[in-house]
Amino acid sequence: MEVKSFDNIGEKLYKETLENGLRAYVAIKPGYVHSYALFATNYGGADRRFKLSGKAADTPAGVAHFLEHKMFDTPDGKNALNVLSENGASPNAWTSQSMTAYHFSCTSGFEKNLNTLLEFVSVPYFTADGVAKEQGIITQEIRMIEDDPGFVVYTNLMKCLYSENPIRDSVAGTVESISGISEETLYECHKAFYNPANMTLCVAGDTDPEAVFDAARRLLPEKPQVVPESDYGAAEELLPATLRTSAVMPVSAPQYMIGAKVKAEENGNERLRQSLTGELALRCLMGRSSPFYTRLYAKGLINADFGYELDYAAKAATIIFGGESRDPEAVFSEFTDEVAGIIKNGPDAGLFERSKKALYGNMLRTTDRFSRLCSELAAGEFAGYNYLDSFNIQSGISLEDTAAFISDNLTPERLAMSAIDPAG
């Protein structure tokens, strides 16, 4: 067992790599009443094409999300969600483009709930009738999200930015694609990706690390297996595939998202440093304290819905920002002017220092938000870094680093915009 102390933030993290390849983490939180566990696989909506032991597979869009829904079924006929709830836990699961995670929080019965989590995620049980029933349920879910303006404006932007990368498609797939999913498809993908060597277990709370690691050893397969190799297609150019797209929907005001592709650092601390640099750059450029935000808010061009992020998935990185505006084109124009000013004059030094302090405080609060902490630990494990190293790495990022990030990635030719206009 490896123990790493982060004295600058008062945290201690226990790590164990099991014989089957699973990497497990426990963040000790003395005195806390509740505990949290997240069991995740490095498998998401974008992992449709892959090779396993030299054999290529091409699966329908939506399998990872479909599999998440069906994993709660157990051979004894009980639903794992109900079992966890009956034992006092609050369970759930989610699927992104890059990860599928199952989790619970509880104030008592942690060991029993952890056993249930490890068992149902590692033992698949699918039937033809169950798959057919789920196809109907997910079909309704897909139709609902396809009527959601937030979903439409986002997916249209991703299609503008990317020509081939599978992150341009919905994690849930389409009604047509999920009709091609069978129990054999689910078993094949579970065998490939729900392999302990392709997974991580992250726990936070006042719990015993050795008991967590022993439970994983006892309940999961003993031998390591081959990890699949995902195929996301050829690397894409950094220029958008299309500059603009628009749709008409029954919304009260126009909605928009603007985005740009970033050349993603592959893995390790360079990935972590790039993501922290991007976060600082975006805070300086359009955070709540930035001149851009305050000016456009005063003009009524943006409102409190405005937000931004730098997201990584499928060997790609994407800057996305937007919200609701009476004039999205004016926001776009104001943004390009702001970028041009920063490229010419550099970011404001005082704003940069305040942004660093704000980011540090946000990361510090994350260490006490168990669900966020475990999600960040899992994402870091799959990308080859330790999230708690963020504090030291962030301190070494300079004003010039953020200026370079903005000038390298946010010039007008790199930007695409998706908009939704109100019907009528």
Side-chain angles (χ1 to χ4, degrees):
M1 180 170 58
E2 176 186 344
V3 184
K4 187 172 182 180
S5 295
F6 299 85
D7 296 332
N8 55 333
I9 56 173
E11 296 292 333
K12 185 175 287 187
L13 190 65
Y14 293 76
K15 178 184 178 182
E16 183 78 283
T17 302
L18 275 61
E19 295 77 5
N20 58 16
L22 178 78
R23 284 85 67 201
Y25 294 86
V26 177
I28 296 297
K29 298 290 183 175
Y32 278 77
V33 174
H34 79 284
S35 299
Y36 183 91
L38 180 142
F39 193 23
T41 174
N42 190 13
Y43 174 51
D47 298 291
R48 287 153 38 188
R49 295 186 299 273
F50 60 92
K51 286 184 179 179
L52 185 63
S53 300
K55 182 181 177 182
D58 192 346
T59 59
V63 175
H65 173 256
F66 201 109
L67 192 52
E68 174 222 312
H69 276 231
K70 294 305 297 173
M71 282 309 303
F72 291 97
D73 292 348
T74 61
D76 60 8
K78 296 180 180 179
N79 184 282
L81 273 174
N82 296 334
V83 174
L84 287 164
S85 297
E86 289 167 1
N87 195 46
S90 177
N92 215 326
W94 49 264
T95 306
S96 69
Q97 291 286 12
S98 58
M99 188 192 310
T100 306
Y102 304 83
H103 56 89
F104 71 85
S105 62
C106 64
T107 56
S108 62
F110 176 79
E111 292 80 6
K112 185 176 180 180
N113 287 321
L114 179 63
N115 291 347
T116 300
L117 176 71
L118 295 171
E119 287 173 341
F120 85 81
V121 174
S122 60
V123 180
Y125 176 70
F126 314 120
T127 65
D129 288 344
V131 170
K133 181 180 179 181
E134 200 65 39
Q135 283 168 335
I137 294 170
I138 295 180
T139 291
Q140 294 302 314
E141 181 180 335
I142 290 171
R143 287 175 175 158
M144 287 176 62
I145 63 174
E146 287 177 346
D147 289 333
D148 180 354
F151 169 83
V152 173
V153 74
Y154 170 79
T155 53
N156 284 352
L157 175 64
M158 299 304 284
K159 291 181 187 299
C160 269
L161 289 170
Y162 295 95
S163 58
E164 298 294 336
N165 193 301
I167 59 173
R168 69 196 301 273
D169 300 322
S170 169
V171 170
T174 65
V175 173
E176 181 181 8
S177 71
I178 67 166
S179 68
I181 296 174
S182 66
E183 64 270 33
E184 288 80 11
T185 309
L186 299 180
Y187 277 118
E188 176 187 16
C189 291
H190 185 279
K191 181 179 179 181
F193 291 99
Y194 284 63
N195 158 10
N198 192 54
M199 302 182 76
T200 187
L201 173 65
C202 301
V203 170
D206 192 355
T207 187
D208 179 10
E210 282 291 359
V212 172
F213 303 147
D214 287 345
R217 283 194 177 91
R218 185 176 70 255
L219 297 170
L220 300 179
E222 296 180 4
K223 297 181 179 179
Q225 301 171 35
V226 178
V227 174
E229 179 183 352
S230 290
D231 177 10
Y232 306 117
E236 299 199 17
E237 295 181 357
L238 291 177
L239 295 177
T242 307
L243 294 177
R244 290 287 193 281
T245 187
S246 63
V248 176
M249 297 184 73
V251 294
S252 59
Q255 297 187 18
Y256 70 97
M257 279 190 178
I258 301 169
K261 291 185 281 190
V262 175
K263 185 178 180 182
E265 292 289 347
E266 284 289 331
N267 274 304
N269 281 348
E270 285 304 308
R271 162 74 71 82
L272 179 57
R273 190 177 194 280
Q274 183 186 49
S275 68
L276 293 170
T277 302
E279 170 66 17
L280 278 173
L282 297 179
R283 277 178 178 264
C284 290
L285 180 58
M286 51 185 155
R288 294 292 175 98
S289 300
S290 68
F292 171 81
Y293 183 92
T294 54
R295 185 175 70 251
L296 268 64
Y297 190 88
K299 290 181 176 181
L301 287 173
I302 62 175
N303 57 28
D305 289 337
F306 182 84
Y308 60 86
E309 67 174 330
L310 171 59
D311 184 56
Y312 290 84
K315 295 187 177 180
T318 314
I319 296 168
I320 300 168
F321 61 95
E324 184 180 273
S325 176
R326 57 182 171 79
D327 191 349
E329 287 292 346
V331 176
F332 188 95
S333 178
E334 292 266 6
F335 180 79
T336 56
D337 289 346
E338 188 72 17
V339 169
I342 289 177
I343 291 174
K344 180 180 179 180
N345 303 313
D348 180 85
L351 178 59
F352 171 73
E353 292 301 328
R354 292 193 298 274
S355 296
K356 285 192 78 170
K357 291 177 181 178
L359 178 58
Y360 190 96
N362 185 56
M363 294 189 302
L364 199 59
R365 287 190 294 273
T366 294
T367 63
D368 286 335
R369 296 170 180 168
F370 293 178
S371 61
R372 177 72 184 275
L373 173 60
C374 289
S375 295
E376 293 286 4
L377 287 171
E381 171 56 42
F382 295 147
Y385 63 79
N386 188 319
Y387 171 73
L388 293 181
D389 287 328
S390 298
F391 297 89
N392 286 333
I393 291 175
Q394 188 247 26
S395 66
I397 297 172
S398 69
L399 179 69
E400 292 73 23
D401 293 329
T402 61
F405 184 91
I406 291 169
S407 62
D408 288 347
N409 297 298
L410 289 168
T411 49
E413 71 276 4
R414 295 282 294 279
L415 302 174
M417 185 167 77
S418 166
I420 294 179
D421 297 318

